Amino acid sequence: MTNPVEQEQAYVDVLFDHLRAEVESARAKLAAVQADVDPDNPDADALVRRETEYHSLNAKLDQLGIAEIGLVFGRVDVADKDPSNPVPDRVDLDRRYVGRMGIDDRADNYRTLLLDWRAPQARPFYLATTANPEGVETRRNIRMRGRAVTAVDDEVLSGDGTEPLETNVGSEAALRRAMNQARTGHMQSIVETIQREQDEIIRDSTRGVMVVQGGPGTGKTAVALHRVAYLLYTWREQLSRTGVLIIGPNNTFLDYISRVLPELGETGVVLSTLENLVPGFTPRALRSAESAAAREVKGSAEMVTILKRSVQAYQTVPQHPVPLDIDGVRIEATPAMVKAARTRARRSRKPHNPARAVFAEELTQLLAEALAVRIGEDPLGGANLLSAADVDQLHDDLTEHPQVQVLIDDHFPLLSPTQVLDSLLTDHDRIVEAAGDYDDYTQNALYRAPGEPFAPSDTALIDELAVLIGIDDAEETRRREEEEWRRQVAEAEDALDILASSEATDNDDDQFEAEILSAADVIDAETLASRQRVRDIRSTAQRAREDQTWAYGHVIVDEAQELSPMEWRMVFRRCPSRWMTLVGDIAQTSSPAGTDDWGTTLEPFVAQRYRLHELTVNYRTPAEIMEYADAVLEQSGAAKSSSISIRSTGVPVAHFPLGTDPETVRAGLDGRLTAIISAENVAEMKGLEFDHVIVVDPQKIVEASPQGWQDLYVAVTRATQTLSVIGELTP
């Protein structure tokens, strides 16, 4: 009987042979096309073919790189009336191999050799449990290191549906192995161990907002990332054009998950924190340096009103008439004129900077009419001597007059979001002007000393101000670029016409017909113009990251409970389709402006039109740690998620007196990845996991913020193996 490892190694070798053949074929095609390209005078069609084959080769090399991570991880023998790969001696069973990509045998009528884990036919691998076999008779978990199969685990699935929770979890062997292996500082892919309730969320067909609520260790983040990969697989054409945005709580977290998506075969996404979501704006202050009051006030929805007033404060009306000297003729810009122009600008409902043009046009017209009265007055008392055309000319002249420009700048200046926000936050008078009808707590929380850097909570305010002031429209920019391109084409056509007119039109040799090659024979206008054209070769993700007005096809928000109302406004602007996956746990909310109820939070954006999933199984955190964590959560008053820990290590939480050196505690552990968490760094631990966690002075964590009990809950639930607590905790 063949050794199972050797059997699977032989099959894996066949798969790698297919991949290698595809890479070699792509290289050969690229080499052939390269030979057709004349570097001195490249043919446009040849260049296109070269680019096509170049990208095809890169795609094949990317696939080969993904395969090196672990091409195959599972196999199921599942009931099928028309199997593509019948099990030997069992024509009623289809043998399906599941891996990180799909591979077909083109020579055998494209027979499937390996199923992409996202394909519908691969679902039984994830859905089958001992209680609900889903037609699966045998499931095999295949472990690989590089190209080598190292081990296999077989599960025979059968049952009467009465098994306990632990046996109703699929791929038990692979799951136990994944949970017990050492952490690496980077997120582990769960593609081999996706469970039934996770798979249902990953493949959910909802095209609106979907909320995934789950306690610690339930795999919320992993589910969200695998959902991204599934959506990119299922809706590839749409999402390849519009992109996917993943928002994480901090850069540590983004680095932590950064290797997961490439392992799943998807790299066309934008990873960002909230504070880095506005192109060109980077807050310099640490989140911990900002008071809870400031974060609460600046995150509240009331900031919409305060910021709108801040912008309108720059649209002023003079207290007295402003004298103007127009080429020796004195006129006045009256408060009524300026106010009328401001009213016209505001009624245009345009953002401030675009509305400035409306203000300038109206004010200039009023000044032109005033000037016409002065210089066109009939000394005999008759009608004004200037015609309407004369008034229009005066208007055009005033448009460029320096005194008129100064007047416009004084009362309707061009603004930038950073300028407006910095002036607001560092000036008590401007705060009173914009928030005078709010209480002292609000006004004091807004103020910061001049010269202090912007904080992370300011990003959403900058984004809001960009909308109020006006954002450069990328579509309009592209339209202008296209117009410039057409102008260049027209110039190129003119150049070719000039060349054509100067061509030789006769030949001194009467015996032979001359073959005269004209410019138009070797190059057309668009090719000539293209030599001056700067082509945008950025990927969708690169273009999206640099465009503040970009509309993403799908948005994932991790630790979504932390977002403030202002941050939600910023996120929803980036997804007009409202196709989003939000994952979080309201029991872990630590932001003073964060979420304690999903319905209330989402009401302004989608009313009650969202779908809620709840993850119920805690795979990560041992029961011994969760018992301690639940006692902490009870003190916070937050609602506990209904998840159940299915793991038990038999190791109770270790307690040490305050003052114990955490490094001494670390030295007594097994050397696996260990985190030392204190009040100073607890905010950076969101979404991360470690083998061992040492919590220093839990009482200080509790007292550090209004959400201190929830911060402590986050800290104590990061471990997969053991928890050590240094210091006493007083409820």
Side-chain angles (χ1 to χ4, degrees):
M1 183 175 180
T2 306
N3 180 288
V5 172
E6 294 175 355
Q7 176 189 3
E8 300 306 349
Q9 184 65 63
Y11 194 83
V12 167
D13 290 342
V14 171
L15 296 178
F16 272 103
D17 286 343
H18 277 271
L19 276 178
R20 185 174 59 253
E22 290 187 10
V23 170
E24 291 174 353
S25 174
R27 282 181 172 147
K29 288 180 180 178
L30 178 60
V33 171
Q34 288 276 37
D36 290 340
V37 178
D38 182 352
D40 297 324
N41 189 24
D43 175 68
D45 289 339
L47 289 175
V48 170
R49 289 195 302 273
R50 184 180 68 179
E51 287 298 305
T52 300
E53 296 302 336
Y54 173 77
H55 288 296
S56 174
L57 175 60
N58 276 340
K60 297 300 181 186
L61 292 174
D62 285 344
Q63 281 191 323
L64 193 58
I66 293 166
E68 297 285 356
I69 296 168
L71 179 60
V72 186
F73 50 77
R75 189 192 85 182
V76 285
D77 294 343
V78 59
D80 193 324
K81 294 180 180 179
D82 185 22
S84 299
N85 298 288
V87 174
D89 303 322
R90 291 292 303 275
V91 294
D92 60 329
L93 292 179
D94 189 27
R95 176 158 290 175
R96 303 174 187 174
Y97 281 86
V98 182
R100 286 178 165 80
M101 68 183 69
I103 298 178
D104 298 326
D105 186 351
R106 297 183 181 181
D108 190 7
N109 199 30
Y110 287 87
R111 181 172 61 88
T112 300
L113 301 178
L114 180 66
L115 280 169
D116 188 300
W117 69 272
R118 296 161 291 194
Q121 295 88 343
R123 292 203 73 185
F125 179 79
Y126 298 112
L127 295 183
T129 67
T130 53
N132 300 283
E134 299 288 338
V136 174
E137 190 166 295
T138 306
R139 172 169 51 214
R140 171 169 285 181
N141 294 285
I142 301 172
R143 279 181 277 169
M144 295 187 64
R145 182 177 291 112
R147 298 190 178 200
V149 176
T150 60
V152 300
D153 295 304
D154 284 334
E155 300 171 81
V156 178
L157 302 178
S158 62
D160 59 9
T162 62
E163 287 81 356
L165 174 65
E166 289 82 353
T167 60
N168 200 19
V169 174
S171 302
E172 291 104 331
L175 181 62
R176 284 196 302 271
R177 184 174 64 249
M179 289 297 98
N180 289 324
Q181 69 184 35
R183 305 298 99 176
T184 63
H186 288 273
M187 187 176 184
Q188 305 295 318
S189 169
I190 67 164
V191 68
E192 304 173 30
T193 59
I194 294 171
Q195 301 303 303
R196 186 186 189 98
E197 69 174 7
Q198 296 172 331
D199 186 80
E200 290 173 352
I201 296 170
I202 289 168
R203 301 174 194 264
D204 191 303
S205 60
T206 298
R207 290 299 297 269
V209 172
M210 187 174 77
V211 178
V212 182
Q213 162 76 30
T218 54
K220 299 182 296 296
T221 299
V223 166
L225 296 179
H226 287 73
R227 178 164 170 77
V228 170
Y230 173 75
L231 293 176
L232 287 167
Y233 175 85
T234 307
W235 303 93
R236 179 169 298 279
E237 183 176 353
Q238 176 183 343
L239 294 180
S240 65
R241 297 193 308 269
T242 56
V244 174
L245 172 64
I246 299 178
I247 299 174
N250 51 57
N251 287 317
T252 304
F253 172 84
L254 295 182
D255 181 61
Y256 177 60
I257 69 171
S258 61
R259 297 186 185 182
V260 174
L261 280 173
E263 287 188 14
L264 299 177
E266 303 300 345
T267 55
V269 298
V270 173
L271 297 175
S272 180
T273 60
L274 286 165
E275 60 201 65
N276 294 320
L277 207 51
V278 176
F281 177 78
T282 304
R284 301 298 179 186
L286 296 176
R287 188 178 299 275
S288 58
E290 191 172 31
S291 70
R295 291 166 60 199
E296 178 185 8
V297 169
K298 291 198 287 185
S300 71
E302 295 301 320
M303 286 304 302
V304 176
T305 299
I306 294 172
L307 294 176
K308 184 176 181 180
R309 291 174 179 174
S310 298
V311 172
Q312 290 181 336
Y314 289 87
Q315 302 167 1
T316 60
V317 175
Q319 295 292 320
H320 307 285
V322 179
L324 301 174
D325 188 332
I326 309 299
D327 298 331
V329 179
R330 293 181 61 82
I331 60 172
E332 290 183 338
T334 65
M337 288 180 180
V338 178
K339 185 176 182 180
R342 183 182 70 175
T343 299
R344 184 72 174 270
R346 288 181 176 177
R347 286 179 177 172
S348 72
R349 299 189 178 279
K350 293 181 178 181
H352 174 89
N353 284 352
R356 170 186 155 99
V358 179
F359 173 85
E361 172 65 23
E362 180 68 12
L363 182 58
T364 303
Q365 181 62 31
L366 294 174
L367 292 173
E369 292 171 359
L371 182 60
V373 169
R374 290 294 307 276
I375 65 177
E377 184 179 12
D378 185 352
L380 301 178
N384 193 292
L385 300 177
L386 299 183
S387 65
D390 294 326
V391 176
D392 290 343
Q393 185 60 53
L394 291 176
H395 170 278
D396 293 345
D397 295 341
L398 287 175
T399 298
E400 301 177 359
H401 198 282
Q403 290 188 36
V404 175
Q405 287 299 314
V406 169
L407 182 67
I408 294 169
D409 289 340
D410 286 346
H411 298 288
F412 216 106
L414 283 171
L415 300 176
S416 73
T418 53
Q419 164 207 347
V420 172
L421 186 59
D422 188 61
S423 296
L424 170 66
L425 300 181
T426 60
D427 189 323
H428 285 294
D429 291 338
R430 287 198 179 276
I431 290 175
V432 171
E433 188 175 31
D437 53 347
Y438 290 86
D439 57 19
D440 291 342
Y441 178 86
T442 299
Q443 295 183 41
N444 293 335
L446 286 173
Y447 181 78
R448 63 171 171 79
E452 289 187 3
F454 285 112
S457 64
D458 292 327
T459 302
L461 308 188
I462 291 292
D463 196 64
E464 189 77 27
L465 282 168
V467 174
L468 293 170
I469 292 170
I471 305 173
D472 289 337
D473 190 335
E475 287 298 326
E476 177 63 20
T477 300
R478 283 191 285 272
R479 187 189 63 78
R480 290 196 299 268
E481 290 174 349
E482 186 61 29
E483 288 181 354
E484 174 62 18
W485 162 245
R486 295 185 183 282
R487 184 190 64 78
Q488 291 177 0
V489 171
E491 290 180 354
E493 288 175 340
D494 291 343
L496 290 175
D497 287 343
I498 292 172
L499 288 173
S501 65
S502 61
E503 291 172 356
T505 56
D506 58 350
N507 194 328
D508 293 336
D509 192 345
D510 295 331
Q511 297 182 8
F512 301 98
E513 181 180 352
E515 293 186 1
I516 302 173
L517 192 64
S518 70
D521 291 327
V522 296
I523 190 170
D524 60 20
E526 290 210 8
T527 303
L528 182 60
S530 68
R531 295 185 176 181
Q532 309 300 322
R533 189 179 193 183
V534 178
R535 297 184 182 274
D536 191 345
I537 59 173
R538 296 173 298 166
S539 67
T540 296
Q542 289 172 324
R543 288 184 288 119
R545 185 185 295 278
E546 298 167 15
D547 185 352
Q548 191 169 349
T549 64
W550 190 273
Y552 288 92
H554 193 82
V555 172
I556 300 279
V557 183
D558 194 76
E559 301 291 349
Q561 77 278 356
E562 299 299 327
L563 272 64
S564 69
M566 291 302 294
E567 289 167 339
W568 279 117
R569 289 174 64 86
M570 177 170 62
V571 170
F572 271 97
R573 282 192 194 102
R574 283 153 176 77
C575 191
S577 68
R578 303 298 196 254
W579 191 16
M580 307 171 78
T581 302
L582 315 175
V583 298
D585 179 14
I586 55 178
Q588 298 185 59
T589 302
S590 61
S591 169
T595 297
D596 54 17
D597 178 77
W598 294 116
T600 303
T601 294
L602 298 174
E603 174 71 30
F605 308 102
V606 294
Q608 296 299 311
R609 298 185 302 276
Y610 69 93
R611 183 166 187 179
L612 176 65
H613 285 282
E614 186 152 7
L615 293 167
T616 62
V617 181
N618 182 341
Y619 305 97
R620 178 183 69 209
T621 319
E624 293 83 359
I625 295 177
M626 283 310 302
E627 183 179 355
Y628 181 84
D630 288 344
V632 168
L633 186 61
E634 188 175 349
Q635 296 295 325
S636 75
K640 179 185 183 298
S641 297
S642 57
S643 58
I644 300 173
S645 183
I646 65 170
R647 296 176 62 240
S648 177
T649 61
V651 181
V653 176
H655 294 272
F656 299 88
L658 189 62
T660 302
D661 183 0
E663 291 298 336
T664 301
V665 178
R666 187 205 296 264
L669 300 172
D670 60 12
R672 288 187 174 191
L673 189 64
T674 302
I676 298 174
I677 304 178
S678 63
E680 288 72 28
N681 70 350
V682 64
E684 298 301 313
M685 299 300 163
K686 282 276 186 179
L688 307 183
E689 64 178 33
F690 309 88
D691 295 290
H692 307 291
V693 167
I694 302 169
V695 174
V696 180
D697 197 350
Q699 191 67 37
K700 187 176 180 181
I701 294 176
V702 169
E703 296 171 354
S705 77
Q707 285 73 34
W709 284 104
Q710 286 157 286
D711 288 339
L712 181 58
Y713 180 69
V714 170
V716 302
T717 56
R718 300 303 94 200
T720 66
Q721 302 301 323
T722 71
L723 170 66
S724 302
V725 180
I726 298 176
E728 296 296 327
L729 182 62
T730 304

